[in-house]
Amino acid sequence: PAYSHNRKVPPVHQIDLNENWLIASENDVLGQSPQEPQYRPDGWMAAQMPTTVQAALVNEGRVPPPWKDRDAELFEPFENQTWWYRTEVELSSDLEQSEKIDLVFEGISLLATIWLNGSPIGYTHNAHYEHRFDITNQIDRDGVNVIAVECRLGLDEFKKRLRSDVSKDGDDIKPYMRMAGMTMGWDFAPRLPL
């Protein structure tokens, strides 16, 4: 048979990338290229993953928590903005030169471009799936690597997909968005899609 019990499986090294992230809106980076390694993210909000734009805004004191009164409505102006996430990573010295390296996102909501050291390495459009990118040949094994994620909801793009025979009010885009439907508002939850 093709399967052998004596097959050696190489060790797996996992580097947790949950800490030392920064978040900024497109308004904070106008005319600049935050995916480039030489970019300096001054004034960005600090974040630990997993997180949301809402959580970063609340933690920075830019808006109140959305769980009382009608404070969730304060987040609606942020929905049409592009948001940047950025971190810097150095690889472990015990990583072998021949070892394959994947960059794994367990969830990205919703439309995103992932950049490594200024070059795009992948795109996402589904928050329900893990996204895995082989970066073996793009990563700098001896230096600092910049990971930048450019995220947006893309509400206008999803509205173009609406069908009049399916959508009763002409604004029900939930079936077209590959993310948790309740984030767009439900009877038990406010609209908080970021």
Side-chain angles (χ1 to χ4, degrees):
Y3 181 77
S4 169
H5 291 284
N6 297 326
R7 185 174 152 232
K8 278 193 157 192
V9 176
V12 175
H13 292 86
Q14 183 172 335
I15 302 170
D16 188 342
L17 301 179
N18 287 343
E19 297 186 20
N20 302 317
W21 284 85
L22 299 171
I23 301 175
S25 77
E26 63 187 351
N27 297 334
D28 297 324
V29 298
L30 283 176
Q32 301 176 53
S33 300
Q35 72 274 18
E36 297 296 334
Q38 66 272 15
Y39 175 82
R40 294 294 159 245
D42 296 325
W44 286 40
M45 298 179 284
Q48 179 173 338
M49 297 300 159
T51 193
T52 61
V53 170
Q54 291 98 335
L57 291 166
V58 169
N59 289 342
E60 290 284 320
R62 296 187 186 187
V63 290
W67 309 115
K68 65 176 189 171
D69 300 326
R70 298 181 68 86
D71 288 343
E73 294 174 0
L74 297 173
F75 292 90
E76 287 182 26
F78 301 110
E79 290 179 6
N80 294 319
Q81 295 180 16
T82 295
W83 290 88
W84 285 90
Y85 293 72
R86 181 183 160 108
T87 192
E88 295 183 359
V89 178
E90 287 186 73
L91 295 184
S92 172
S93 59
D94 62 346
L95 196 66
E96 295 180 20
Q97 288 295 322
S98 61
E99 196 165 339
K100 180 181 181 233
I101 301 173
D102 284 345
L103 179 61
V104 180
F105 293 88
E106 293 176 351
I108 297 179
S109 184
L110 180 61
L111 304 177
T113 302
I114 294 85
W115 305 80
L116 176 63
N117 298 327
S119 297
I121 59 167
Y123 307 92
T124 71
H125 62 278
N126 192 328
H128 296 300
Y129 292 114
E130 171 186 278
H131 299 283
R132 181 178 296 268
F133 305 98
D134 182 349
I135 58 171
T136 306
N137 298 323
Q138 293 99 335
I139 198 153
D140 181 352
R141 292 175 183 263
D142 300 317
V144 175
N145 294 276
V146 173
I147 300 169
V149 182
E150 180 184 11
C151 294
R152 60 193 167 80
L153 284 176
L155 297 178
D156 290 337
E157 293 172 40
F158 289 107
K159 286 181 181 179
K160 290 177 187 174
R161 300 179 189 179
L162 288 175
R163 292 178 32 196
S164 60
D165 61 328
V166 175
S167 178
K168 296 176 188 164
D169 61 5
D171 195 35
D172 188 12
I173 60 175
K174 290 179 193 177
Y176 302 93
M177 300 179 75
R178 301 300 302 149
M179 62 188 292
M182 68 182 182
T183 60
M184 293 300 290
W186 215 284
D187 58 356
F188 62 87
R191 179 184 172 116
L192 294 168
L194 295 173

